[in-house]
Amino acid sequence: MTANNSASAIAHPNIAFIKYWGNRDEALRIPSNGSISMNLDGLETRTTVEFNPSLSKDALFLNGKKSGVLATERVTALLDRVRSLASITTRARVTSENNFPTGSGIASSASAFAALAIAASAAAGLELDESALSRLARTGSGSASRSVPAGFVEWLPGKSDANSYALSIAPPNHWDLLDLIVIVSQGHKKTGSTGGHRLASTSPLQTARISAAPARLEECRRALLARDFSALAHIVELDSNIMHAVMMTSTPPLFYWKPATLAVIERVTALRAAGLDVCYTIDAGPNVHVITTGASAKRARRELLQVSGVIEVLTARPGGPARIAP
Ligand code: DP6
């Protein structure tokens, strides 16, 4: 390999409207069900990968700080796939920065592994198409598969590495939706997503959740394509509640909510009853993503900031695809 084998990429995190929770193949991250999400514009991870023959092992720097063994091993696993595809053995230096604060409660693994997949494959001289990049990102973090395509995205679960990838079902400008990210806690959670996926099958509710997932996906896709907010609100809240029911009934149980999480849920329910376009969805943490429309966003944000326990509210519009950065 010659010098200058370096590339940078940018990717956005995403919020799932229909959730990924549980794998049929943990090592490859083949999910138990399909999922649908929206990329979050304005929030981004920027990653540079440089393959350098003088390195004896991969090195990872996150927001300027050298990472520990575990985080580096997860990056090395994805780089190994890239090295094998490109028939190289060179080690890499990876630097990655988020423009949103780490510990703000916004999961960064989706944007991180989407940006890593794009930067690493370009730096290795590979020309992968979107579905191959989505599959590669998926092996680092399942939700990262959905941060590769633009806008509103569906991850087709597939049954093997070859057919488990995400594609865009509508561009960012399809619908004037916003995600108001209501921060109620900035602490680190005890059980991250990877550990949580492993527990999903211990819940007696997971089988029911998985068997009805195709119907929820269909309802969500239809609501999105028709820009039908009340149908979207119904299915997004139902799907989030079902996932949290699985989490709470796992062994050991996972309770991600804080009292302020429920206070936000109650406020969102009241605001929708009062005619605002708002609905809630919650990932593996206590913060609440309030999905709203351009017409309702200003008032919704004002009301949410008044809920006791709310620290701040970030705003994100539908985002574009992960891409090579200049
Ligand atoms: C609750 O993609 O973070 O946010 O593959 O182990 O990195 P790993 O898990 P991850 O799981 C996301 C779980 C979720 C729901 C979702 O985003 O679909």
Side-chain angles (χ1 to χ4, degrees), residues 1-37:
M1 229 184 166
T2 53
N4 195 23
N5 296 299
S6 147
S8 301
I10 287 174
H12 304 291
N14 65 74
I15 178 64
F17 293 166
I18 301 293
K19 308 291 190 188
Y20 152 49
W21 197 245
N23 285 305
R24 67 155 64 216
D25 181 324
E26 191 185 318
L28 286 171
R29 291 185 159 82
I30 311 295
S32 306
N33 64 282
S35 50
I36 290 179
S37 60

Side-chain angles (χ1 to χ4, degrees), residues 14-21 23 29 35-37 74 107 109-110 113 138-144 146 155 189 192-195 197 243-244 247 282-285:
N14 65 74
I15 178 64
F17 293 166
I18 301 293
K19 308 291 190 188
Y20 152 49
W21 197 245
N23 285 305
R29 291 185 159 82
S35 50
I36 290 179
S37 60
R74 200 164 161 186
S109 71
F113 283 97
R138 187 204 75 230
T139 62
S141 173
S143 55
R146 298 189 310 242
W155 176 8
K189 52 201 178 195
S193 306
T194 305
H197 289 296
M243 179 182 73
H244 283 272
M247 292 163 161
I282 302 157
D283 283 342

Side-chain angles (χ1 to χ4, degrees), residues 8-14 39-40 43-47 110-119 128-130 133-134 137 143-151 153 168 172 319-325:
S8 301
I10 287 174
H12 304 291
N14 65 74
N39 284 348
L40 301 178
L43 309 177
E44 59 188 42
T45 299
R46 190 195 170 96
T47 298
S111 50
F113 283 97
L116 179 67
I118 291 187
L128 303 181
D129 64 16
E130 185 182 270
L133 289 168
S134 173
S143 55
S145 67
R146 298 189 310 242
S147 280
V148 172
V153 172
S168 181
R323 59 206 177 267
I324 289 288

Side-chain angles (χ1 to χ4, degrees), residues 103-106 183-190 258 285-287 311:
S104 67
I106 303 165
I183 310 290
V184 302
S185 164
Q186 295 170 319
H188 272 286
K189 52 201 178 195
K190 278 205 291 291
K258 301 270 184 215
N287 300 316
I311 300 167

